[in-house]
Amino acid sequence: MQAKQGIGGVLRGIALTLVLLFFLFPIVWVFLMSFQTNAQILRIPPSPFFTPTLENYTALISGRLETTSGVLDIAFMRNLMNSVILSASSVLLALILGVPAAYAFARFKFRLGENIAFTLLSFRFAPPLLVLLPLTLYFQALGLSDTYVGLIWVYQLICLPLILWIVRGYFEDISPDIEHAYRVDGHSWARTFWRIAIPLARPGIAAAALLAFIFAWNNFVFALILASADKQPVTVGALAFVTAAGIQYGQIAAAVVLSVTPTLLLALYAQRYLVQGLSMGAVKG
């Protein structure tokens, strides 16, 4: 019996190792590429052994990219800052609008409520190219073209439906009896929402905000069409590494590492709230 358990444990360990290698290999390989030159990356056969260099990161931070065709000015750090501004502002605005709306959809039944909720959700799945032409015309008429305000507004098509539907589910899982007990003491709906509902749904709000931040960070089409070079995020700014001298694979790998880092740190910070969300059964109705 113990021998069978030992063999089973070994097989599980081998299977887990193979799964980890399969999923982590692309990430590890990109990380290694970020410390190599183009010549080292393109050598045949490829090798994990090389002399590391920091010139890719130096080029990104200094904004000067040296190629065989000359020196190019790149604005990667400005693109990175644009991504932070656009993603953080979009998620913050979506939380301000979406969390009260999610509470209303979860607690109150009103005419056409489900239709309105599904209409908002459909914005998330609408092809971006379908709305770009009318948005471009409206933005030109309103003076919002190539502005942070205009882009943050457009990003609500990504963030608001996610937050609305995810947080709504968390509010529905919280027993209304807890809020009723608080209201018996004479507290208003607004105070109950702020003091009871929001703290209990905090793990769900954190998870929804993190997911919305990732989707906003990875957006490419809206920023490519509606923003000029000084407002474009890092996803569009990476196009600068496709030069007349060829594709700068080392700089692209370094840009991937730097652009993933803020999202990874945010995910690690929000991890405790995600874990708390798994234990919300104590307050389910």
Side-chain angles (χ1 to χ4, degrees):
M1 186 66 181
Q2 291 182 349
K4 289 183 179 179
Q5 291 179 346
I7 294 174
V10 172
L11 293 177
R12 280 195 298 272
I14 294 174
L16 287 174
T17 303
L18 292 176
V19 170
L20 285 175
L21 288 175
F22 179 79
F23 285 104
L24 292 180
F25 177 76
I27 300 173
V28 174
W29 193 255
V30 168
F31 183 74
L32 295 177
M33 284 174 58
S34 69
F35 293 100
Q36 301 180 55
T37 63
N38 252 19
Q40 292 173 321
I41 294 171
L42 298 175
R43 64 187 169 183
I44 299 176
S47 172
F49 304 103
F50 58 90
T51 303
T53 176
L54 292 176
E55 66 179 29
N56 296 324
Y57 291 97
T58 304
L60 296 180
I61 296 173
S62 64
R64 290 174 57 84
L65 177 62
E66 296 183 2
T67 69
T68 55
S69 300
V71 179
L72 298 176
D73 292 328
I74 55 176
F76 176 79
M77 298 308 293
R78 185 174 60 191
N79 297 137
L80 191 62
M81 183 54 64
N82 286 339
S83 289
V84 174
I85 294 172
L86 292 173
S87 301
S89 302
S90 300
V91 173
L92 179 61
L93 179 60
L95 286 174
I96 294 173
L97 299 176
V99 173
Y103 183 77
F105 281 116
R107 285 288 180 267
F108 305 102
K109 303 300 179 185
F110 48 90
R111 188 180 180 185
L112 300 179
E114 290 299 319
N115 293 333
I116 296 173
F118 275 105
T119 300
L120 292 173
L121 182 63
S122 66
F123 292 156
R124 175 67 191 88
F125 299 105
L129 294 178
L130 188 67
V131 299
L132 271 176
L133 178 58
L135 277 177
T136 303
L137 297 177
Y138 277 121
F139 275 27
Q140 290 176 350
L142 296 174
L144 293 175
S145 295
D146 192 25
T147 62
Y148 286 121
V149 175
L151 288 173
I152 292 169
W153 188 4
V154 173
Y155 275 30
Q156 296 311 303
L157 296 173
I158 303 170
C159 301
L160 188 57
L162 282 174
I163 289 177
L164 176 63
W165 275 88
I166 294 176
V167 178
R168 177 190 179 181
Y170 273 84
F171 280 135
E172 288 176 341
D173 286 341
I174 298 173
S175 173
D177 295 338
I178 300 175
E179 299 173 18
H180 293 163
Y182 187 73
R183 291 199 63 209
V184 167
D185 292 338
H187 299 294
S188 65
W189 273 114
R191 188 174 178 83
T192 305
F193 169 71
W194 187 254
R195 298 296 298 273
I196 301 298
I198 290 289
L200 290 177
R202 187 180 300 165
I205 295 172
L210 175 62
L211 192 61
F213 185 88
I214 292 173
F215 274 89
W217 186 277
N218 292 334
N219 181 262
F220 175 79
V221 177
F222 288 136
L224 177 66
I225 303 299
L226 299 175
S228 63
D230 61 337
K231 300 292 190 306
Q232 289 175 340
V234 69
T235 50
V236 183
L239 294 176
F241 302 117
V242 182
T243 66
I247 302 175
Q248 307 301 315
Y249 294 101
Q251 280 81 22
I252 291 176
V256 169
V257 173
L258 290 179
S259 61
V260 167
T261 300
T263 309
L264 182 62
L265 294 176
L266 184 62
L268 292 175
Y269 174 76
Q271 186 180 18
R272 56 176 177 167
Y273 295 107
L274 300 179
V275 173
Q276 289 177 11
L278 298 177
S279 60
M280 285 191 66
V283 295
K284 286 184 178 179

